[in-house]
Amino acid sequence: MAMINVGKVIVLVLLTGGCVKKELPPPQQAPGMSSALKETEGLKLELKLDRPSYKLKKPVRMTLTAANRSHESFQDSFRSAQAYDFIVRKDGKEIWRWSYDRMFAQMLLEVKIEPGKTLSYSETWGQRDNAGDFVSA
């Protein structure tokens, strides 16, 4: 039975703001779940997957959480209604992007996270590339 090892195949990226990009390392394997962490300027970014490996063609559930660990409010501005993105890469090449075929309203979006609070985004990747074809292991 073919399986995808998420820790070796997927790199996910969170876009924060118009010009700032925070990239998370590949998720690390842990019993029953994979996750990746990055902390910068009091903002802790955590990517969680609901399991460390998946059968081919099975959905991959991803949750990205931004936690404000500082004593001040964190605020960021976006030039559209898109506040985040998930990107899947294999061998360094992008194979899927959550926002690939989506349109977002052109607007100024302000996101604010108060001290000690979190903001989460969840999406599902169906193990298809941007062309709609299933990816191989």
Side-chain angles (χ1 to χ4, degrees):
M1 180 179 304
M3 301 282 279
I4 267 189
N5 182 330
V6 177
K8 293 181 181 175
V9 175
I10 298 177
V11 175
L12 294 127
V13 176
L14 165 70
L15 300 178
T16 59
C19 300
V20 181
K21 182 170 107 174
K22 309 274 193 244
E23 185 165 331
L24 295 173
Q28 301 300 310
Q29 289 200 359
M33 181 176 284
S34 291
S35 66
L37 290 172
K38 183 170 186 171
E39 190 162 350
T40 178
E41 301 169 14
L43 187 67
K44 176 184 163 188
L45 301 176
E46 183 175 23
L47 168 67
K48 286 188 178 180
L49 308 176
D50 59 344
R51 60 187 61 165
S53 63
Y54 296 82
K55 293 179 183 177
L56 288 175
K57 301 182 181 180
K58 295 297 180 187
V60 177
R61 185 77 175 155
M62 305 170 280
T63 300
L64 180 66
T65 302
N68 185 351
R69 299 181 78 179
S70 74
H71 298 291
E72 298 179 13
S73 295
F74 173 84
Q75 189 166 337
D76 209 345
S77 299
F78 301 85
R79 296 181 293 209
S80 75
Q82 180 186 7
Y84 65 95
D85 208 352
F86 289 95
I87 298 172
V88 177
R89 295 183 183 142
K90 184 175 181 180
D91 300 325
K93 181 182 174 191
E94 181 178 312
I95 58 173
W96 178 79
R97 179 183 294 255
W98 171 76
S99 64
Y100 176 73
D101 59 355
R102 299 181 190 296
M103 295 181 68
F104 299 92
Q106 297 301 303
M107 59 182 276
L108 182 60
L109 174 66
E110 298 283 335
V111 174
K112 188 174 186 178
I113 307 173
E114 296 295 339
K117 300 294 182 184
T118 62
L119 180 63
S120 293
Y121 300 102
S122 294
E123 297 298 338
T124 300
W125 172 48
Q127 293 196 42
R128 292 179 183 267
D129 61 19
N130 285 332
D133 301 319
F134 280 109
V135 298
S136 58

